[in-house]
Amino acid sequence: VENTEKFGSACAKARVIIGEKASVKADIRCLNLDIWGTLVGDVTVQDTLTLKSESELTGNVRSSRLVIELGARFAGSNETINR
């Protein structure tokens, strides 16, 4: 998702990437998730969720691994799950 605003929910059996100019309001379930832009919603990630520097995530997270780069912002709860 890049240079756009999206609403709703998404489910993918692969990697989802939210681009740096994207603003997404959705619940997401996927294998891996890289956030460069803004996401408001709950996420369930089977493997790795990565918040890139300058990204914003507001919502509850369930993931096996959470990587938060310096400068990223996260507001919500985090639950570590087994793969």
Side-chain angles (χ1 to χ4, degrees):
V1 180
E2 182 67 47
N3 297 329
T4 188
E5 197 169 292
K6 296 286 183 190
F7 303 93
S9 63
C11 184
K13 294 181 179 179
R15 178 179 303 277
V16 173
I17 299 172
I18 297 176
E20 66 182 56
K21 295 182 181 178
S23 178
V24 177
K25 293 180 182 175
D27 294 334
I28 298 176
R29 297 176 64 89
C30 60
L31 180 61
N32 292 291
L33 176 60
D34 295 338
I35 302 174
W36 296 81
T38 301
L39 173 63
V40 176
D42 296 336
V43 296
T44 300
V45 180
Q46 290 179 333
D47 194 14
T48 304
L49 165 61
T50 304
L51 301 177
K52 302 294 188 174
S53 64
E54 304 303 318
S55 67
E56 295 182 39
L57 171 59
T58 303
N60 300 311
V61 171
R62 296 181 74 233
S63 67
S64 295
R65 288 180 273 197
L66 175 61
V67 177
I68 302 176
E69 293 184 359
L70 186 63
R73 291 172 294 284
F74 171 54
S77 66
N78 178 56
E79 178 185 348
T80 302
I81 58 174
N82 294 326
R83 286 193 244 177

